[in-house]
Amino acid sequence: MRYLVIDGQGGRLGKLLIEGIRREFPEAEIAAVGTNAAATATMLKAGADEAATGENPVVVASRRADIIAGPIGIVIADSLLGEVTPKMAAAVAQSAAVRVLVPMNRCDNLVAGVGSQSIGELAQDAVKKMKEVCGQQSWGERL
């Protein structure tokens, strides 16, 4: 199973997602793509197998991933304070991968129904959703 974690700014959410994936799926192949060098470095330190920074790595890695995880802004052009380009958002949105998007009420993108959960709680819920996806019997038919 190939996981792709995408994050920007400081990479804290990406770090938490990678740690959770590594804990729940020790054999997982985890790629991390940061929208900036700081986010990439943080995710690499968290245990990603490989990491890159920028637009083209998002495009290429989105084609290879089975599951893509990150803040909801990775599918919204110009989000994360402008760090997500339209090409990046389109690549993630058009990927055949399952997307596990963490609702973050930041950067002028407000998600209705999202309470005041901490980033840690949101990351835990995202990993739980990945476990549910991996446990679905129809998952193998998707690949």
Side-chain angles (χ1 to χ4, degrees):
M1 187 76 60
R2 287 186 224 138
Y3 293 81
L4 170 59
V5 178
I6 303 171
D7 199 8
Q9 300 179 347
R12 181 164 178 243
L13 175 61
K15 172 186 183 290
L16 294 171
L17 290 171
I18 290 168
E19 289 171 348
I21 293 166
R22 188 62 70 208
R23 185 174 46 255
E24 295 295 331
F25 310 102
E27 305 292 320
E29 179 184 329
I30 305 172
V33 178
T35 59
N36 62 62
T40 303
T42 297
M43 292 188 289
L44 191 57
K45 288 178 189 174
D49 295 309
E50 56 188 7
T53 303
E55 181 179 81
N56 201 56
V58 169
V59 172
V60 172
S62 292
R63 290 191 297 245
R64 298 182 54 218
D66 297 311
I67 295 178
I68 299 173
I72 196 166
I74 64 175
V75 295
I76 302 171
D78 299 329
S79 66
L80 300 179
L81 300 175
E83 292 183 10
V84 176
T85 68
K87 191 172 180 180
M88 294 163 94
V92 174
Q94 294 172 347
S95 173
V98 171
R99 286 165 294 284
V100 178
L101 303 173
V102 179
M104 307 288 291
N105 283 328
R106 295 188 181 171
C107 303
D108 297 326
N109 294 303
L110 304 177
V111 181
V114 174
S116 59
Q117 296 165 296
S118 71
I119 290 177
E121 291 168 325
L122 291 167
Q124 287 174 356
D125 189 52
V127 173
K128 180 181 170 187
K129 296 227 182 308
M130 287 182 233
K131 284 182 71 173
E132 291 169 5
V133 167
C134 290
Q136 293 175 356
Q137 290 183 356
S138 62
W139 175 255
E141 296 170 9
R142 286 184 40 88
L143 303 179

